Amino acid sequence: MSLVVRRHSSLASTQDVTRRLVQAGEAKPGCVVVADEQTEGRGRFGRTWLSPVGGLYATYVVDPHSLISLRAGMAATRALAAYGVQADLKWPNDVLIADRKLAGILIETVADAALVGIGLNVTGAPLETAICLREVGCGARRGELMVAIGEELGSVRPDGEILDAYRERLSTLGRTVRVSMEDGTVIEGTAVDIDEAGRLLLETPYGCRPIASGECMHLVV
Ligand code: BTN
């Protein structure tokens, strides 16, 4: 799939610009909006995504495939692997190296499309809990990473293949975790598997609980 790239030096958020383009019929699957910096970058659960110059900030328009959240995480880790970077995933799709965050992914929907927003720390990490590619000796340029991730997102594999590959990359499995859900519920347990819908299966004192969405924290025990 060939990518249509719309590049900006500075934007509020690539998610919002891409949404408006899709709504206006000016962007469709295969389009990516990328910015050198964002002044109002957004993360999951309404958090701010610090977006100084030096990171990759891109929103891809894709068809709303099943397991899109897992597919997006796999696309990022596969693209990084092509540049010699072995990154893990934290459920659902945080990209980690040594338990520090390398990239975050925000998925939203608009009309008949999914917006896959990726923020990747390339030359600097804006938080102490984060890591960047430069720190692990990877000198890949933002532009080539943006294209590699887009190509991975465009190569659609069957659900079973995605789930198998995803489980292998998922450092959450076997860990004790705390998941905070949007309604304020917090649940702790051992992450035992991912079901066919991409839900995290947590073994808890009250039985096995499938978690569809939430913020997952790996607990050190
Ligand atoms: C997260 O881990 O909370 C997800 C972070 C997603 C950040 C990216 S950067 C490109 C796109 N534009 C945004 O405003 N957010 C996403």
Side-chain angles (χ1 to χ4, degrees):
M1 184 183 73
S2 64
L3 278 180
V4 176
V5 181
R6 291 174 179 257
R7 184 160 176 259
H8 299 259
S9 51
S10 184
L11 281 182
S13 162
T14 57
Q15 292 291 110
D16 298 337
V17 169
T18 311
R19 175 180 296 275
R20 286 195 288 273
L21 288 170
V22 172
Q23 285 168 335
E26 290 170 26
K28 52 185 185 8
C31 179
V32 55
V33 175
V34 59
D36 295 338
E37 67 169 359
Q38 297 182 119
T39 54
E40 291 171 39
R42 291 190 281 111
R44 295 174 69 222
F45 305 111
R47 287 180 309 226
T48 296
W49 184 260
L50 296 172
S51 310
V53 170
L56 170 64
Y57 313 109
T59 297
Y60 300 84
V61 184
V62 301
D63 287 314
H65 297 293
S66 53
L67 302 175
I68 186 69
S69 175
L70 281 54
R71 288 175 187 281
M74 284 307 301
T77 56
R78 281 199 163 110
L80 288 163
Y83 288 90
V85 176
Q86 295 307 316
D88 298 319
L89 290 169
K90 175 165 73 79
W91 184 83
N93 54 23
D94 277 350
V95 180
L96 309 180
I97 293 179
D99 253 5
R100 286 159 74 196
K101 189 151 166 171
L102 177 69
I105 297 176
L106 175 66
I107 298 185
E108 298 174 327
T109 53
V110 55
D112 289 335
L115 305 180
V116 177
I118 298 188
L120 171 66
N121 302 323
V122 180
T123 59
L127 295 171
E128 274 189 11
T129 51
I131 193 166
C132 69
L133 288 178
R134 181 181 281 175
E135 247 179 288
V136 295
C138 173
R141 291 198 309 263
R142 287 177 299 149
E144 52 194 9
L145 290 164
M146 184 261 294
V147 171
I149 295 169
E151 282 172 354
E152 287 292 345
L153 279 170
S155 107
V156 183
R157 299 174 163 89
D159 281 8
E161 192 182 322
I162 285 293
L163 281 165
D164 287 347
Y166 178 79
R167 287 188 183 100
E168 277 182 26
R169 281 270 172 204
L170 193 63
S171 65
T172 304
L173 289 184
R175 307 271 296 253
T176 304
V177 302
R178 178 182 298 141
V179 183
S180 309
M181 286 168 265
E182 267 180 293
D183 66 1
T185 311
V186 177
I187 184 164
E188 280 188 22
T190 305
V192 290
D193 202 2
I194 295 298
D195 72 9
E196 296 196 345
R199 296 180 302 182
L200 181 65
L201 300 182
L202 270 196
E203 198 65 61
T204 77
Y206 316 101
C208 188
R209 297 288 160 89
I211 314 287
S213 158
E215 174 69 5
C216 173
M217 184 191 292
H218 291 167
L219 300 178
V220 180
V221 285

